[in-house]
Each structure stands twice: as structure tokens, then as C-alpha cells.
Amino acid sequence: QVPLVESGGGLVQPGGSLRLSCAASGFTFSRYTMSWYRQAQGKQRELVAKITSNGMSTNYKDSVKGRFTISRDNAKNTVYLQMNSLKPEDTAVYYCAAARGWSADYDYWGQGTQVTVSS
């Protein structure tokens, strides 16, 4: 059983939108801080957005503030990343990750979903 499975990636034109989903299983999702990371080809993995277990607090990478929104549905064991006004520099493999606290090490990682922003 894979703890985290991402979906929703694809090819989109600049200015377009995508919504990523990450479905969790095998652990108590509602107790975990959830994060979205991304890794562009040849670059290090970077944190994009983070949300507390109860969804009350979020944090974003500066370059995505105002364009991306992280949210979660604890009843569905799913975390989302709504991405609007996409830019070519947003092209990357996007991963979700789960940690037991805001500053805790990550216990689970997804396999990633490719997002390509190109005309």
C-alpha cells in the first residue's frame, strides 16, 4: 500500500491552471502536517506549500504566493494544491509529503506528478 499518491499533473499553457491532489492511506492523515514540494530538472527539491493538520495555518514559497493555494479535506484523506497563473518556471515534478509536526522530519513521500508549463 502506497501511503501517498499524487495526481492531476499534466501539460498546461502559461497562465493556465492545474489542481494537484494527494490521496493518503495507511496512516492517520488528520494528525499530519502536509507539504507540497517540487523538483525541476537539474535542481534541488524545494518546498512549495505547507498546511497544518487542522488546515488552519499555511505557508508558501514566495514565488507562488497569490497564485497557489494548499488545502486539505481530512474526511477524504486528501491534500490539494490549486495552481493558477502558471509560469514556465513552475515546471517540475511535484511531490506531497507528510510529517507529524510543522518542523518534524517527513515520514511519507509520494511518487510525484509531472507538471509542465509550456506553449
Side-chain angles (χ1 to χ4, degrees):
Q1 191 176 23
V2 180
L4 296 172
V5 179
E6 301 97 335
S7 61
L11 173 65
V12 63
Q13 291 187 342
S17 298
L18 281 176
R19 188 196 197 201
L20 305 183
S21 299
C22 172
S25 62
F27 64 97
T28 308
F29 176 78
S30 61
R31 294 181 182 176
Y32 279 72
T33 292
M34 297 300 297
S35 300
W36 284 97
Y37 278 77
R38 68 186 181 188
Q39 187 168 19
Q41 196 168 8
K43 296 187 177 181
Q44 289 189 332
R45 190 173 297 191
E46 59 183 10
L47 177 64
V48 176
K50 201 171 186 179
I51 188 167
T52 52
S53 57
N54 61 6
M56 294 299 290
S57 295
T58 58
N59 193 30
Y60 296 91
K61 178 180 172 61
D62 284 347
S63 63
V64 308
K65 285 180 180 177
R67 300 189 297 122
F68 290 11
T69 302
I70 188 171
S71 62
R72 66 189 296 159
D73 185 339
N74 285 348
K76 295 183 178 180
N77 288 350
T78 302
V79 61
Y80 305 97
L81 186 67
Q82 178 67 45
M83 305 186 294
N84 299 328
S85 302
L86 282 160
K87 304 175 181 180
E89 51 264 43
D90 295 318
T91 295
V93 178
Y94 284 70
Y95 300 88
C96 63
R100 298 189 189 197
W102 190 258
S103 301
D105 293 337
Y106 291 98
D107 290 338
Y108 306 106
W109 287 88
Q111 81 290 348
T113 186
Q114 176 70 47
V115 171
T116 302
V117 184
S118 175
S119 55

